[in-house]
Amino acid sequence: SNGTHAHRLTGKLMLVVGELDRNVDPASTMQVANALVKADKDFDLLVVPGAGHGAAETPYASRRRMDFYVRHLLGCEPRW
């Protein structure tokens, strides 16, 4: 379980979950988020309303993921 190891997080993390995901229950993502909160770890969480398992590939989530990369890998603000 990812939640079991949440306290070991040392880098940046973005979780993306679709509200209607039928492959991975959104509750599983919330359990990981809860473990991260309990471990006092910073992370980004994006819940995509009405989306299923492919939520991270929606245009909005894709842009948010690219923004996350620009901020945390390039160290600057996105200029889209």
Side-chain angles (χ1 to χ4, degrees), residues 16-26 29 48 50-58 61:
V16 180
V17 62
E19 173 192 25
L20 304 176
D21 194 330
R22 291 189 178 140
N23 187 23
V24 178
D25 186 349
T29 303
V48 183
H53 190 66
E57 301 309 318
T58 63

Side-chain angles (χ1 to χ4, degrees), residues 1-17 28-37 39-47 64-65 67-69 71-73:
S1 167
N2 291 325
T4 303
H5 302 287
H7 66 281
R8 295 182 180 175
L9 179 67
T10 59
K12 305 294 182 183
L13 177 65
M14 179 181 192
L15 301 172
V16 180
V17 62
S28 297
T29 303
M30 295 304 145
Q31 289 171 353
V32 173
N34 186 43
L36 290 163
V37 168
D40 198 30
K41 299 294 183 173
D42 292 335
F43 64 100
D44 289 356
L45 172 63
L46 175 61
V47 179
R64 291 287 308 272
R65 186 176 59 245
D67 291 352
F68 181 86
Y69 292 155
R71 282 188 187 97
H72 298 294
L73 295 177

